[in-house]
Amino acid sequence: MGAAVAAAEDVVGVAVAVAANAVLQSLPKLGVGLGYRPQHQAELFGHRDRIAFLEIVADHYYEPSPIKSAELDMLHRNLPLIPHGLALSLGSAEGLDAGYVKRFQQVVQRVRPPWCSDHIAFTRAGGIDIGHLTPLPKTKASLRVLHDNIRSFQDIVATPLILENITESIRFPEDEFDDAEFLGRVCDQNDIGLLLDVTNLYINSVNHGFDATSVLHRLPADRIVQLHFAGGHIQDGLWIDSHAAPTQPEIWDLLIEVVKFADVKGIILERDEHIPPLAELMNELERAASILKEFGR
């Protein structure tokens, strides 16, 4: 009887995974867009024909002022929007902040995106806001915490969730999995998609001494929904994910490999420091669009 029940549960698990993958594969192809920053609002519609969608920082529209509320409505009327959270803290062992989830849900309901996103990280511990994205030990315990928190989030927010890999300033001696296996397990156990930050993958590979392309080809290609890319810089011999410079050639090369490997639905260029006029970023957007057109599925 026990073996029969286990076999039945395996069949159900496979069926659920297939259905989840079908949902991810059916998501619309948005193209190449930009991480929205208010500095570009005045220029945005002069380049509307070359920006396919915007990724908005969901946190900027929690309990918004009238000005921010009007801004969100204006963006929503004119472009597809993807809400991207900064502090869901899915890796927090204490569970999710119910107030944060509610505010995230309200933004999602307001802009009705095809998917929403946050990070594989924690930003809160012991009720204290750490103030930045912190990596998790790659262990079975972390996977259990992520599973429980992701399930709690999905019980409230029905929109498909994709999660982003972060840059990791530290590695934990208790790690039980490498990067590819951990990311794959996070996606598969929770039936979610991956927001693959190409720059973060490259930076981690250089700083921690592994081959980024080898890791890429061990990821579940059918889970990769969206990409981020940005320029970083080297400081004291380490790569820093600063989002402050034009994208480096090594990152462009890796972006091409990702687009060849996975059926990417959307690509976002990020810029958070030394933000130039929007016209100066359009060459990077157009280059990414040409890569998606030439090498995409």
Short mmCIF file of all heavy atoms in Angstrom, two decimals, residues 21-60:
data_model
loop_
_atom_site.label_atom_id
_atom_site.label_comp_id
_atom_site.label_asym_id
_atom_site.label_seq_id
_atom_site.Cartn_x
_atom_site.Cartn_y
_atom_site.Cartn_z
N ASN A 21 5.21 23.95 -15.95
CA ASN A 21 6.06 24.30 -17.08
C ASN A 21 5.24 24.80 -18.26
O ASN A 21 5.65 25.70 -18.99
CB ASN A 21 6.90 23.09 -17.50
CG ASN A 21 8.14 22.94 -16.65
OD1 ASN A 21 8.58 23.88 -16.00
ND2 ASN A 21 8.71 21.75 -16.63
N ALA A 22 4.07 24.20 -18.47
CA ALA A 22 3.20 24.65 -19.55
C ALA A 22 2.77 26.09 -19.33
O ALA A 22 2.70 26.88 -20.28
CB ALA A 22 1.97 23.73 -19.64
N VAL A 23 2.50 26.45 -18.07
CA VAL A 23 2.14 27.83 -17.76
C VAL A 23 3.30 28.77 -18.10
O VAL A 23 3.11 29.81 -18.73
CB VAL A 23 1.74 27.97 -16.28
CG1 VAL A 23 1.62 29.45 -15.89
CG2 VAL A 23 0.44 27.25 -16.00
N LEU A 24 4.50 28.40 -17.70
CA LEU A 24 5.67 29.24 -17.97
C LEU A 24 5.90 29.39 -19.47
O LEU A 24 6.19 30.48 -19.97
CB LEU A 24 6.92 28.67 -17.30
CG LEU A 24 6.92 28.63 -15.77
CD1 LEU A 24 8.20 27.98 -15.26
CD2 LEU A 24 6.77 30.03 -15.18
N GLN A 25 5.78 28.27 -20.20
CA GLN A 25 6.03 28.32 -21.63
C GLN A 25 4.96 29.12 -22.38
O GLN A 25 5.21 29.63 -23.47
CB GLN A 25 6.11 26.90 -22.20
CG GLN A 25 7.32 26.12 -21.72
CD GLN A 25 8.63 26.84 -21.99
OE1 GLN A 25 8.93 27.20 -23.13
NE2 GLN A 25 9.41 27.07 -20.95
N SER A 26 3.77 29.24 -21.78
CA SER A 26 2.69 29.97 -22.44
C SER A 26 2.72 31.47 -22.16
O SER A 26 1.91 32.22 -22.70
CB SER A 26 1.33 29.41 -22.01
OG SER A 26 1.08 29.69 -20.64
N LEU A 27 3.65 31.90 -21.30
CA LEU A 27 3.73 33.33 -21.00
C LEU A 27 4.07 34.11 -22.26
O LEU A 27 4.80 33.62 -23.13
CB LEU A 27 4.80 33.57 -19.93
CG LEU A 27 4.47 33.03 -18.53
CD1 LEU A 27 5.69 33.19 -17.60
CD2 LEU A 27 3.26 33.73 -17.93
N PRO A 28 3.59 35.33 -22.38
CA PRO A 28 3.84 36.11 -23.61
C PRO A 28 5.30 36.51 -23.75
O PRO A 28 6.00 36.72 -22.76
CB PRO A 28 2.95 37.34 -23.42
CG PRO A 28 2.83 37.49 -21.93
CD PRO A 28 2.78 36.08 -21.40
N LYS A 29 5.73 36.61 -24.99
CA LYS A 29 7.08 37.11 -25.27
C LYS A 29 7.01 38.64 -25.34
O LYS A 29 6.44 39.20 -26.28
CB LYS A 29 7.61 36.52 -26.57
CG LYS A 29 7.90 35.03 -26.46
CD LYS A 29 8.72 34.54 -27.64
CE LYS A 29 9.11 33.09 -27.44
NZ LYS A 29 10.01 32.60 -28.51
N LEU A 30 7.60 39.28 -24.35
CA LEU A 30 7.52 40.74 -24.27
C LEU A 30 8.62 41.44 -25.06
O LEU A 30 8.43 42.56 -25.52
CB LEU A 30 7.57 41.17 -22.80
CG LEU A 30 6.43 40.68 -21.91
CD1 LEU A 30 6.55 41.26 -20.50
CD2 LEU A 30 5.07 41.02 -22.50
N GLY A 31 9.78 40.81 -25.18
CA GLY A 31 10.88 41.44 -25.91
C GLY A 31 11.91 42.04 -24.96
O GLY A 31 12.23 41.48 -23.92
N VAL A 32 12.41 43.21 -25.31
CA VAL A 32 13.48 43.86 -24.55
C VAL A 32 12.97 45.17 -23.98
O VAL A 32 12.36 45.99 -24.68
CB VAL A 32 14.72 44.11 -25.43
CG1 VAL A 32 15.79 44.87 -24.65
CG2 VAL A 32 15.28 42.79 -25.95
N GLY A 33 13.20 45.35 -22.70
CA GLY A 33 12.72 46.55 -22.03
C GLY A 33 13.73 47.11 -21.06
O GLY A 33 14.91 46.74 -21.05
N LEU A 34 13.24 47.96 -20.17
CA LEU A 34 14.10 48.76 -19.31
C LEU A 34 13.59 48.71 -17.88
O LEU A 34 12.38 48.69 -17.64
CB LEU A 34 14.08 50.21 -19.81
CG LEU A 34 15.02 51.22 -19.15
CD1 LEU A 34 16.47 50.91 -19.50
CD2 LEU A 34 14.66 52.63 -19.63
N GLY A 35 14.51 48.67 -16.95
CA GLY A 35 14.14 48.88 -15.56
C GLY A 35 13.79 50.35 -15.38
O GLY A 35 14.66 51.22 -15.51
N TYR A 36 12.52 50.63 -15.11
CA TYR A 36 12.07 52.01 -15.07
C TYR A 36 12.70 52.77 -13.91
O TYR A 36 12.72 52.29 -12.77
CB TYR A 36 10.55 52.08 -14.94
CG TYR A 36 10.03 53.48 -14.71
CD1 TYR A 36 10.05 54.41 -15.75
CD2 TYR A 36 9.56 53.89 -13.47
CE1 TYR A 36 9.60 55.70 -15.55
CE2 TYR A 36 9.10 55.18 -13.26
CZ TYR A 36 9.14 56.09 -14.31
OH TYR A 36 8.70 57.39 -14.10
N ARG A 37 13.20 53.98 -14.23
CA ARG A 37 13.71 54.90 -13.23
C ARG A 37 13.06 56.27 -13.49
O ARG A 37 12.98 56.70 -14.65
CB ARG A 37 15.23 55.02 -13.30
CG ARG A 37 15.98 53.67 -13.14
CD ARG A 37 15.74 53.01 -11.80
NE ARG A 37 16.42 51.72 -11.67
CZ ARG A 37 15.83 50.55 -11.81
NH1 ARG A 37 14.52 50.48 -12.10
NH2 ARG A 37 16.50 49.42 -11.68
N PRO A 38 12.58 56.94 -12.45
CA PRO A 38 11.85 58.19 -12.66
C PRO A 38 12.63 59.24 -13.44
O PRO A 38 12.02 60.10 -14.09
CB PRO A 38 11.57 58.67 -11.22
CG PRO A 38 11.57 57.42 -10.40
CD PRO A 38 12.61 56.53 -11.03
N GLN A 39 13.95 59.17 -13.40
CA GLN A 39 14.76 60.14 -14.15
C GLN A 39 14.47 60.10 -15.64
O GLN A 39 14.74 61.07 -16.36
CB GLN A 39 16.26 59.88 -13.92
CG GLN A 39 16.74 60.11 -12.51
CD GLN A 39 16.70 58.86 -11.66
OE1 GLN A 39 15.79 58.04 -11.79
NE2 GLN A 39 17.69 58.70 -10.80
N HIS A 40 13.92 59.00 -16.12
CA HIS A 40 13.70 58.84 -17.55
C HIS A 40 12.26 59.11 -17.97
O HIS A 40 11.91 58.95 -19.14
CB HIS A 40 14.08 57.41 -17.98
CG HIS A 40 15.54 57.13 -17.90
ND1 HIS A 40 16.04 55.90 -17.51
CD2 HIS A 40 16.62 57.93 -18.13
CE1 HIS A 40 17.36 55.95 -17.53
NE2 HIS A 40 17.73 57.16 -17.90
N GLN A 41 11.42 59.53 -17.03
CA GLN A 41 10.01 59.67 -17.35
C GLN A 41 9.76 60.63 -18.50
O GLN A 41 8.98 60.34 -19.42
CB GLN A 41 9.22 60.12 -16.11
CG GLN A 41 7.74 60.21 -16.36
CD GLN A 41 6.97 60.65 -15.13
OE1 GLN A 41 6.02 61.41 -15.23
NE2 GLN A 41 7.37 60.21 -13.95
N ALA A 42 10.43 61.77 -18.50
CA ALA A 42 10.18 62.77 -19.53
C ALA A 42 10.60 62.30 -20.92
O ALA A 42 10.02 62.72 -21.93
CB ALA A 42 10.90 64.07 -19.17
N GLU A 43 11.62 61.42 -20.97
CA GLU A 43 12.13 60.95 -22.26
C GLU A 43 11.45 59.69 -22.75
O GLU A 43 11.62 59.30 -23.92
CB GLU A 43 13.63 60.64 -22.14
CG GLU A 43 14.52 61.78 -21.69
CD GLU A 43 15.93 61.25 -21.49
OE1 GLU A 43 16.68 61.16 -22.50
OE2 GLU A 43 16.28 60.89 -20.35
N LEU A 44 10.72 59.03 -21.87
CA LEU A 44 10.28 57.66 -22.13
C LEU A 44 9.51 57.52 -23.43
O LEU A 44 9.79 56.63 -24.24
CB LEU A 44 9.41 57.19 -20.95
CG LEU A 44 9.13 55.71 -20.84
CD1 LEU A 44 10.42 54.92 -20.70
CD2 LEU A 44 8.20 55.45 -19.67
N PHE A 45 8.58 58.42 -23.68
CA PHE A 45 7.69 58.22 -24.82
C PHE A 45 8.30 58.67 -26.14
O PHE A 45 7.78 58.35 -27.20
CB PHE A 45 6.34 58.87 -24.53
CG PHE A 45 5.68 58.22 -23.35
CD1 PHE A 45 5.69 58.81 -22.10
CD2 PHE A 45 5.11 56.96 -23.48
CE1 PHE A 45 5.12 58.19 -21.01
CE2 PHE A 45 4.54 56.32 -22.39
CZ PHE A 45 4.55 56.93 -21.15
N GLY A 46 9.43 59.35 -26.05
CA GLY A 46 10.18 59.63 -27.27
C GLY A 46 10.86 58.40 -27.83
O GLY A 46 11.27 58.37 -28.99
N HIS A 47 10.99 57.37 -26.98
CA HIS A 47 11.61 56.11 -27.39
C HIS A 47 10.64 54.94 -27.28
O HIS A 47 11.06 53.79 -27.25
CB HIS A 47 12.85 55.84 -26.53
CG HIS A 47 13.88 56.92 -26.59
ND1 HIS A 47 14.79 57.02 -27.62
CD2 HIS A 47 14.14 57.96 -25.75
CE1 HIS A 47 15.57 58.07 -27.41
NE2 HIS A 47 15.20 58.65 -26.29
N ARG A 48 9.36 55.25 -27.22
CA ARG A 48 8.34 54.23 -26.97
C ARG A 48 8.40 53.09 -27.96
O ARG A 48 8.18 51.92 -27.58
CB ARG A 48 6.94 54.89 -27.01
CG ARG A 48 5.76 53.94 -26.98
CD ARG A 48 5.68 53.21 -25.65
NE ARG A 48 4.60 52.24 -25.64
CZ ARG A 48 4.66 51.01 -26.14
NH1 ARG A 48 5.78 50.59 -26.71
NH2 ARG A 48 3.64 50.20 -26.07
N ASP A 49 8.73 53.33 -29.21
CA ASP A 49 8.72 52.28 -30.22
C ASP A 49 9.87 51.29 -30.05
O ASP A 49 9.87 50.22 -30.67
CB ASP A 49 8.77 52.88 -31.62
CG ASP A 49 10.00 53.74 -31.86
OD1 ASP A 49 10.53 54.31 -30.88
OD2 ASP A 49 10.45 53.85 -33.01
N ARG A 50 10.85 51.63 -29.19
CA ARG A 50 12.00 50.74 -29.01
C ARG A 50 12.07 50.15 -27.60
O ARG A 50 13.04 49.47 -27.27
CB ARG A 50 13.29 51.50 -29.33
CG ARG A 50 13.41 51.89 -30.81
CD ARG A 50 14.72 52.57 -31.09
NE ARG A 50 14.77 53.91 -30.51
CZ ARG A 50 15.87 54.67 -30.46
NH1 ARG A 50 17.01 54.20 -30.93
NH2 ARG A 50 15.83 55.88 -29.94
N ILE A 51 11.06 50.39 -26.79
CA ILE A 51 10.99 49.84 -25.44
C ILE A 51 9.74 48.95 -25.38
O ILE A 51 8.62 49.45 -25.44
CB ILE A 51 10.93 50.94 -24.38
CG1 ILE A 51 12.17 51.83 -24.46
CG2 ILE A 51 10.79 50.34 -22.98
CD1 ILE A 51 12.12 53.05 -23.56
N ALA A 52 9.94 47.65 -25.26
CA ALA A 52 8.82 46.72 -25.33
C ALA A 52 8.02 46.66 -24.03
O ALA A 52 6.80 46.46 -24.06
CB ALA A 52 9.32 45.32 -25.69
N PHE A 53 8.70 46.81 -22.90
CA PHE A 53 8.02 46.78 -21.60
C PHE A 53 8.93 47.39 -20.55
O PHE A 53 10.11 47.67 -20.81
CB PHE A 53 7.60 45.35 -21.22
CG PHE A 53 8.73 44.41 -20.84
CD1 PHE A 53 8.87 43.98 -19.53
CD2 PHE A 53 9.62 43.93 -21.79
CE1 PHE A 53 9.89 43.10 -19.16
CE2 PHE A 53 10.63 43.04 -21.44
CZ PHE A 53 10.77 42.63 -20.12
N LEU A 54 8.35 47.61 -19.37
CA LEU A 54 9.11 48.16 -18.26
C LEU A 54 9.02 47.22 -17.07
O LEU A 54 7.99 46.61 -16.82
CB LEU A 54 8.56 49.53 -17.84
CG LEU A 54 8.63 50.67 -18.84
CD1 LEU A 54 7.90 51.89 -18.28
CD2 LEU A 54 10.08 51.01 -19.18
N GLU A 55 10.11 47.15 -16.35
CA GLU A 55 10.09 46.50 -15.04
C GLU A 55 10.08 47.60 -13.99
O GLU A 55 10.94 48.48 -14.00
CB GLU A 55 11.33 45.62 -14.86
CG GLU A 55 11.36 44.86 -13.55
CD GLU A 55 12.63 44.06 -13.41
OE1 GLU A 55 13.68 44.67 -13.10
OE2 GLU A 55 12.60 42.84 -13.64
N ILE A 56 9.08 47.57 -13.12
CA ILE A 56 8.98 48.58 -12.07
C ILE A 56 9.38 47.98 -10.74
O ILE A 56 9.16 46.79 -10.49
CB ILE A 56 7.55 49.16 -11.98
CG1 ILE A 56 6.52 48.06 -11.69
CG2 ILE A 56 7.19 49.95 -13.25
CD1 ILE A 56 5.14 48.56 -11.32
N VAL A 57 9.98 48.78 -9.89
CA VAL A 57 10.28 48.34 -8.53
C VAL A 57 8.97 48.41 -7.75
O VAL A 57 8.45 49.50 -7.47
CB VAL A 57 11.36 49.23 -7.88
CG1 VAL A 57 11.59 48.81 -6.43
CG2 VAL A 57 12.66 49.14 -8.67
N ALA A 58 8.42 47.26 -7.41
CA ALA A 58 7.11 47.22 -6.76
C ALA A 58 7.09 48.05 -5.48
O ALA A 58 6.11 48.75 -5.19
CB ALA A 58 6.73 45.77 -6.46
N ASP A 59 8.20 48.02 -4.74
CA ASP A 59 8.28 48.71 -3.45
C ASP A 59 8.04 50.21 -3.57
O ASP A 59 7.63 50.86 -2.60
CB ASP A 59 9.64 48.47 -2.80
CG ASP A 59 10.00 46.99 -2.72
OD1 ASP A 59 9.98 46.33 -3.78
OD2 ASP A 59 10.30 46.50 -1.61
N HIS A 60 8.33 50.77 -4.74
CA HIS A 60 8.16 52.22 -4.93
C HIS A 60 6.69 52.63 -5.00
O HIS A 60 6.38 53.83 -4.98
CB HIS A 60 8.87 52.67 -6.20
CG HIS A 60 10.36 52.57 -6.12
ND1 HIS A 60 11.19 52.77 -7.22
CD2 HIS A 60 11.19 52.28 -5.07
CE1 HIS A 60 12.44 52.60 -6.84
NE2 HIS A 60 12.46 52.31 -5.55
#
